[in-house]
């Protein structure tokens, strides 16, 4: 059975790995992990971006030029001015439509005079996404034919991921045995940057350096033409010319989109910066990431299933730490990204499986549970747990329970004039009898609260009609013969139940709004009063509802009044 279980577990985990990697929203979350690492990189290792300047064609510039689209004369003036100022390479990120061709001859003459200008082209293509990604170019929109022979061109296509965020681009796209380099790749090559390592049809991931505007030095077209800039401002600089016109729909999301979108020319600037610095990233291929998952499953299975849970925990954190450090090292030092989230989840899944294996297939499991719950439950319930351990969920689980709080009223006044030994002895006797009542109704003792206690009904084992059990226990507790005056609060609702605490000590307990509200009820309960919430009251039978009085009260911290039911000295023999 053990060997069969392990084999089945390997197959199931491998299938889960495949599903996690390809077919679930975890791939989207993996992208967000990548985005966070990109942001952290700029927080701790900011880049110097002085080599690139952006000329902005903004609303003011368009208004001064007489409207959009601009006449060829303005492009001629800008390009000529930049050449005079000694710009190294100029990228004009504006589609020069053949429909507005007045002045094309003069502009073509300028292109012929200089060999450092790049114009954009636009590819229309079809993307097929599956286990791999394929691009089929359908059409190409090039600059007017008069310019093509005189100037370099590059495609300006951004291909967003499935979540709409631009994280990468294709440096080279091939169609009909012709390679179309990216706009920024062509600019970098004109400056003599060796990019021969970039392969066709393979993505690169720029090291984005921020969001919002003014990432790069920027001046408007108007300021350029009027000479409103410092001397040698453009000398040996890479200059991009683009629009900041919202109506053109040229805004995009990047890994920094939470801090603002970027215009297309700003993204080109960031891509160009990565190419010049050669700090663009590569991703582990899909097949490589899958082999990593399989390897991690095998090594985790080999380790965790041979070790006891306490020993496995040590190796679990070692595996997590080593993998995470390796992934971060590759990312920040070698600009290489391997999946982080999904492998860590797989390691965690194997660890959880080994933990379950040890406890579900070991006789010690029942004994461990008995040891764990011996402080909280009656012997009869403990025996039930030992015989049916599968009924108990130690991890966090959402359950519907009834919570009961008991508080001794005027405890300080009670202790006056009494010796400490007498007080402790009577408290111990009181708690012993109260616990007997709670255990009688299959309740769980959560904790002692000094002069009170907390218990709940319905977990770790299901208790039929746990609200009724709690109310009956409360009535019986009120009938106990002690010098104390008690207040009791009861509430029913959904809570999270499980082992909660630190690595050194954990307790089985419950948390949630239902617990907090029960604590508020006991705070407002007078001596001899039982206060229960509406959720508890409405599922009681008519006999158990006898004696309760409906009321509405304002509870501190809640905006609306809460409906409660009071049992005034109900059944109390004081």
């Amino acid at each position: 059975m053990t060997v069969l279980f392990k084999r089945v577990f390997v197959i199931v985990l491998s299938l889960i790995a495949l599903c996690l990697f390809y077919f679930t929203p975890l791939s989207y979350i993996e992208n967000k992990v990548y985005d966070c690492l990109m942001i952290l990189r700029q927080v701790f290792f900011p880049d110097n971006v002085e080599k690139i300047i952006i000329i902005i064609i903004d609303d003011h510039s368009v208004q001064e030029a007489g409207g959009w689209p601009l006449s060829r004369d303005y492009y001629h003036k800008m390009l000529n001015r930049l050449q005079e100022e000694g710009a190294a390479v100029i990228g004009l990120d504006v589609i020069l439509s053949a429909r507005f061709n007045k002045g094309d001859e003069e502009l073509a003459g300028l292109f012929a005079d200089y060999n450092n200008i790049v114009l954009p082209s636009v590819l229309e293509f079809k993307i097929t996404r599956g286990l791999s990604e394929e691009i089929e170019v359908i059409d190409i929109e090039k600059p007017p034919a008069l310019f093509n022979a005189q100037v370099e061109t590059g495609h300006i296509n951004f291909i967003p991921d499935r979540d709409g965020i631009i994280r990468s681009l294709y440096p080279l796209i091939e169609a009909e045995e012709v390679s179309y380099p990216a706009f920024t790749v062509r600019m970098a090559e004109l400056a003599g940057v060796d990019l021969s390592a970039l392969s066709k049809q393979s993505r690169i991931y720029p090291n984005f350096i921020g969001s919002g505007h003014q990432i790069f030095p920027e001046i408007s077209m108007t300021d350029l033409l009027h000479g409103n800039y410092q001397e040698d401002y453009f000398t040996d600089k890479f200059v991009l010319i683009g629009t900041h016109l919202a109506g053109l729909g040229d805004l995009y999301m990047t890994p920094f989109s939470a801090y603002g979108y970027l215009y297309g020319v700003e993204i080109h600037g960031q891509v160009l910066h990565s190419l010049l610095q050669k700090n663009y990233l590569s991703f582990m291929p899909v097949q490589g990431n899958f082999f990593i998952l399989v390897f991690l499953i095998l090594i985790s299975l080999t380790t965790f299933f041979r070790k006891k849970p306490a020993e496995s925990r040590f190796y679990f954190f070692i595996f997590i730490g080593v993998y995470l450090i390796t992934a971060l090292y590759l990312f920040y030092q070698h600009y290489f990204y391997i999946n982080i989230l999904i492998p860590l989840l797989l390691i965690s899944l194997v660890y959880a499986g080994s933990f379950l294996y040890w406890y579900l297939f070991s006789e010690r499991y029942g004994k461990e549970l008995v040891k764990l719950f011996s402080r909280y439950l009656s012997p009869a319930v403990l025996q039930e747990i030992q015989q049916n351990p599968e009924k108990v969920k130690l991890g966090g689980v959402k359950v519907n329970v009834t919570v009961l709080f008991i508080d001794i009223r005027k405890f300080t006044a009670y202790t006056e004039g009494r010796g400490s030994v007498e007080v402790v002895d009577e408290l111990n006797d009181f708690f012993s009898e109260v616990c007997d009542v709670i255990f009688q109704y299959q309740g769980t003792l959560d904790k002692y609260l000094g002069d009170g206690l907390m218990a709940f009904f319905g977990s770790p084992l299901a208790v039929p009609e746990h609200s009724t059990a709690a109310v009956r226990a409360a009535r019986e507790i009120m009938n106990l013969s002690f010098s104390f005056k008690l207040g009791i609060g009861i509430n029913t609702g959904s809570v999270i139940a499980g082992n909660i605490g630190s690595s050194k000590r954990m307790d089985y307990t419950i948390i949630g709004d239902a617990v907090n509200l029960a604590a508020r009820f006991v705070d407002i309960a007078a001596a001899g009063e039982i206060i229960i919430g509406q959720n508890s009251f409405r599922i009681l039978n008519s006999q158990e509802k006898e004696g309760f009085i409906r009321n509405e009260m304002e509870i501190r911290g809640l905006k609306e009044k809460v409906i409660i039911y009071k049992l005034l000295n109900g059944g109390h023999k004081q």
Side-chain angles (χ1 to χ4, degrees):
M1 181 175 178
T2 301
V3 176
L4 177 61
F5 175 81
K6 290 182 179 179
R7 290 176 178 174
V8 171
F9 198 71
V10 171
I11 295 173
V12 170
L13 281 178
S14 300
L15 292 175
I16 290 175
L18 185 65
C19 292
L20 288 176
F21 190 70
Y22 293 115
F23 306 117
T24 74
L26 283 178
S27 59
Y28 293 89
I29 304 176
E30 185 72 55
N31 283 338
K32 299 304 179 184
V33 173
Y34 171 81
D35 294 346
C36 290
L37 294 181
M38 185 70 65
I39 293 170
L40 289 174
R41 180 184 181 276
Q42 291 307 316
V43 170
F44 294 106
F45 312 105
D47 281 10
N48 184 341
V49 293
E50 294 180 354
K51 286 186 176 181
I52 300 172
I53 298 175
I54 297 181
I55 307 298
I56 301 301
I57 303 175
D58 55 13
D59 291 326
H60 176 70
S61 300
V62 169
Q63 184 177 3
E64 186 171 294
W68 183 262
L70 300 179
S71 70
R72 298 288 200 253
D73 182 54
Y74 282 96
Y75 296 116
H76 189 283
K77 290 179 180 178
M78 283 192 288
L79 295 171
N80 194 58
R81 175 64 61 88
L82 291 172
Q83 297 291 357
E84 292 173 354
E85 294 293 336
V89 179
I90 304 170
L92 179 59
D93 183 28
V94 179
I95 302 297
L96 298 177
S97 174
R99 293 180 299 168
F100 306 97
N101 55 10
K102 184 178 180 181
D104 276 3
E105 291 78 7
E106 293 80 359
L107 195 55
L110 185 142
F111 291 150
D113 292 338
Y114 301 102
N115 60 355
N116 64 343
I117 300 174
V118 180
L119 293 183
S121 59
V122 180
L123 304 181
E124 181 183 350
F125 49 78
K126 176 184 177 182
I127 302 179
T128 303
R129 282 176 169 147
L131 298 183
S132 61
E133 188 173 81
E134 296 183 1
I135 295 180
E136 178 187 352
V137 176
I138 300 173
D139 193 16
I140 304 170
E141 181 181 351
K142 298 179 180 180
L146 186 60
F147 301 153
N148 266 333
Q150 311 294 339
V151 71
E152 301 286 351
T153 64
H155 77 81
I156 57 172
N157 294 83
F158 298 129
I159 303 176
D161 290 331
R162 289 182 174 91
D163 57 2
I165 291 180
I166 305 260
R167 296 184 179 89
S168 62
L169 84 156
Y170 283 91
L172 296 168
I173 295 179
E174 195 171 67
E176 297 179 356
E177 299 183 355
V178 177
S179 293
Y180 297 93
F183 180 70
T184 46
V185 169
R186 185 65 83 189
M187 289 184 66
E189 288 177 338
L190 286 180
V193 178
D194 182 14
L195 298 176
S196 58
L198 298 179
S199 60
K200 300 179 179 64
Q201 305 283 29
S202 177
R203 290 194 187 207
I204 63 169
Y205 292 77
N207 250 315
F208 286 95
I209 55 178
S211 192
H213 310 311
Q214 302 300 326
I215 298 171
F216 301 99
E218 297 179 355
I219 71 169
S220 68
M221 181 187 80
T222 300
D223 288 335
L224 171 66
L225 297 181
H226 291 174
N228 297 331
Y229 51 85
Q230 298 176 355
E231 187 177 355
D232 297 327
Y233 186 67
F234 296 101
T235 303
D236 297 328
K237 296 296 195 305
F238 291 81
V239 181
L240 286 160
I241 303 174
T243 62
H244 273 196
L245 303 173
L248 296 184
D250 194 31
L251 280 170
Y252 302 91
M253 294 189 295
T254 70
F256 287 81
S257 59
Y259 305 96
Y261 290 8
L262 289 180
Y263 285 99
V265 66
E266 294 168 331
I267 295 182
H268 288 308
Q270 300 209 29
V271 175
L272 177 60
H273 176 74
S274 274
L275 293 172
L276 296 177
Q277 299 294 322
K278 289 192 174 180
N279 64 358
Y280 49 84
L281 286 96
S282 300
F283 267 45
M284 173 69 76
V286 172
Q287 298 85 347
N289 274 317
F290 185 70
F291 283 126
I292 287 176
L293 295 182
V294 174
F295 172 76
L296 289 175
I297 289 174
L298 293 176
I299 193 172
S300 299
L301 281 171
T302 303
T303 303
F304 296 153
F305 278 85
R306 291 182 177 179
K307 305 291 182 182
K308 295 180 180 179
E311 298 173 349
S312 294
R313 188 181 303 115
F314 169 78
Y315 288 99
F316 168 72
F317 287 112
I318 289 293
F319 289 173
I320 292 288
V322 169
Y323 186 85
L324 189 57
I325 290 172
T326 301
L328 294 178
Y329 173 76
L330 291 174
F331 182 85
Y332 288 115
Q333 295 298 321
H334 295 279
Y335 310 114
F336 190 77
Y337 185 79
I338 59 175
N339 281 348
I340 294 178
L341 174 68
I342 296 175
L344 295 185
L345 286 178
L346 260 295
I347 295 175
S348 302
L349 187 60
V350 176
Y351 172 71
S354 69
F355 188 86
L356 289 175
Y357 170 79
W358 270 94
Y359 280 97
L360 292 178
F361 292 89
S362 173
E363 293 180 359
R364 293 178 300 173
Y365 180 56
K367 295 178 181 179
E368 292 288 338
L369 289 177
V370 169
K371 181 180 178 181
L372 174 64
F373 287 108
S374 59
R375 294 182 296 161
Y376 312 119
L377 301 171
S378 67
V381 176
L382 288 174
Q383 185 178 2
E384 174 70 13
I385 287 178
Q386 190 168 9
Q387 293 175 352
N388 302 283
E390 70 278 0
K391 294 182 179 180
V392 178
K393 306 292 184 182
L394 288 181
V397 59
K398 192 171 185 179
V399 293
N400 189 269
V401 301
T402 298
V403 189
L404 180 146
F405 278 88
I406 299 175
D407 184 70
I408 299 174
R409 291 294 180 250
K410 299 182 180 180
F411 182 73
T412 302
Y414 161 77
T415 60
E416 292 178 358
R418 288 179 170 84
S420 57
V421 174
E422 179 185 354
V423 171
V424 171
D425 286 345
E426 188 160 5
L427 272 177
N428 289 338
D429 292 341
F430 168 74
F431 284 134
S432 295
E433 292 198 30
V434 168
C435 287
D436 288 343
V437 174
I438 291 172
F439 291 162
Q440 177 187 341
Y441 290 95
Q442 295 184 300
T444 300
L445 174 63
D446 186 290
K447 60 179 68 72
Y448 295 108
L449 304 171
D451 56 352
L453 61 78
M454 170 185 166
F456 51 92
F457 300 76
S459 183
L461 292 181
V463 177
E465 300 180 348
H466 49 75
S467 297
T468 300
V471 171
R472 287 179 179 175
R475 286 177 181 267
E476 194 165 327
I477 290 170
M478 280 295 190
N479 282 322
L480 296 176
S481 298
F482 284 92
S483 304
F484 307 125
K485 293 182 179 295
L486 306 178
I488 297 179
I490 297 174
N491 188 46
T492 300
S494 294
V495 299
I496 301 298
N499 270 343
I500 297 175
S502 68
S503 58
K504 296 182 179 179
R505 177 177 176 177
M506 302 186 77
D507 287 326
Y508 185 82
T509 187
I510 57 173
I511 55 175
D513 291 338
V515 180
N516 300 334
L517 198 54
R520 297 288 177 85
F521 290 166
V522 76
D523 287 342
I524 62 176
E529 277 188 355
I530 300 173
I531 293 182
I532 70 174
Q534 189 176 20
N535 289 343
S536 302
F537 182 82
R538 64 186 178 187
I539 55 180
L540 298 177
N541 58 43
S542 58
Q543 182 179 355
E544 295 296 335
K545 290 180 179 179
E546 288 180 4
F548 282 95
I549 301 173
R550 186 182 186 276
N551 198 354
E552 292 185 4
M553 297 193 67
E554 291 184 354
I555 303 294
R556 179 170 53 86
L558 299 180
K559 295 181 180 180
E560 299 179 357
K561 289 185 176 181
V562 176
I563 297 175
I564 62 173
Y565 293 86
K566 291 184 177 182
L567 184 63
L568 306 175
N569 295 313
H572 204 280
K573 294 180 178 178
Q574 296 186 65

